[in-house]
Amino acid sequence: MMKWGLLKYLVPSTALVCPIGSIAQEIGASTSIVIDPRLDRTDVAGARSESEYRPVPLVVGPFLAQPQLSIVSGYEGNVFNQADAKAAQVVTAMPSLVASARLSQHELNLAASGTVRRFSWYRTENSEEFAVAADGRLNLTQQHALLGTFSYASLIEPRSSAASNRNAAE
């Protein structure tokens, strides 16, 4: 009798935790999803990771490389950000690579990231974005150094932006 008594409480609570209707998560109108999976941030207590859970960088020649991949899927409730909403499933893949040279006196850091979106319908909305960056320091003497930074990005302005052409007339 005790087993059935617990079961009547378990079934309704499971329905609250795992409702049948929640199959996918809606993703905002043409948003760029920025996920910063770096666990070495020290600005917030919850963002600090324990040392045994930190990813181990790959050694590639003189570089320490840290590749990452995030994949998010869901549905877009208003693909074109218009009053007559059109919905579609979307998958977003975000690869990135950060590499630092192991040099005794100099410094070189490289970074590359991208975002690839694929819609089930309305394939005209599929998109690719990327960014690359490099910075370094070349020590000439103990008191003199050359510093350099380079970055380039090819990004897409979302339809939800106030400056987008479709919203300019409103």
Side-chain angles (χ1 to χ4, degrees):
M1 192 66 158
M2 181 68 164
K3 292 179 188 176
W4 293 110
L6 290 175
L7 185 61
K8 73 178 181 180
Y9 295 112
L10 179 63
V11 172
S13 65
T14 304
L16 289 174
V17 174
C18 305
I20 295 171
S22 65
I23 296 172
Q25 180 171 344
E26 183 170 8
I27 297 174
S30 300
T31 58
S32 286
I33 299 172
V34 178
I35 297 176
D36 187 4
R38 291 180 300 139
L39 299 177
D40 59 347
R41 292 179 41 201
T42 58
D43 57 340
V44 179
R48 290 190 290 260
S49 67
E50 297 180 30
S51 59
E52 62 267 15
Y53 295 112
R54 288 191 183 139
V56 177
L58 304 172
V59 178
V60 181
F63 288 93
L64 293 177
Q66 292 185 311
Q68 296 177 346
L69 176 63
S70 297
I71 299 177
V72 177
S73 66
Y75 73 95
E76 178 76 52
N78 192 349
V79 175
F80 298 100
N81 198 32
Q82 295 180 347
D84 60 337
K86 307 251 191 267
Q89 289 79 23
V90 62
V91 174
T92 304
M94 296 160 285
S96 68
L97 175 65
V98 176
S100 300
R102 298 179 299 162
L103 304 171
S104 60
Q105 296 181 6
H106 311 291
E107 184 179 331
L108 177 61
N109 301 303
L110 307 170
S113 62
T115 302
V116 177
R117 283 181 207 82
R118 293 294 180 257
F119 287 85
S120 60
W121 307 103
Y122 316 113
R123 294 177 192 244
T124 58
E125 299 306 297
N126 290 349
S127 64
E128 299 84 23
E129 299 176 276
F130 72 91
V132 293
D135 66 78
R137 183 186 74 240
L138 178 63
N139 292 330
L140 302 174
T141 66
Q142 289 183 346
Q143 299 169 348
H144 298 91
L146 291 175
L147 302 172
T149 301
F150 166 81
S151 64
Y152 179 80
S154 175
L155 305 175
I156 296 172
E157 185 173 351
R159 289 184 184 272
S160 59
S161 170
S164 69
N165 289 335
R166 293 195 184 259
N167 293 333
E170 296 180 358

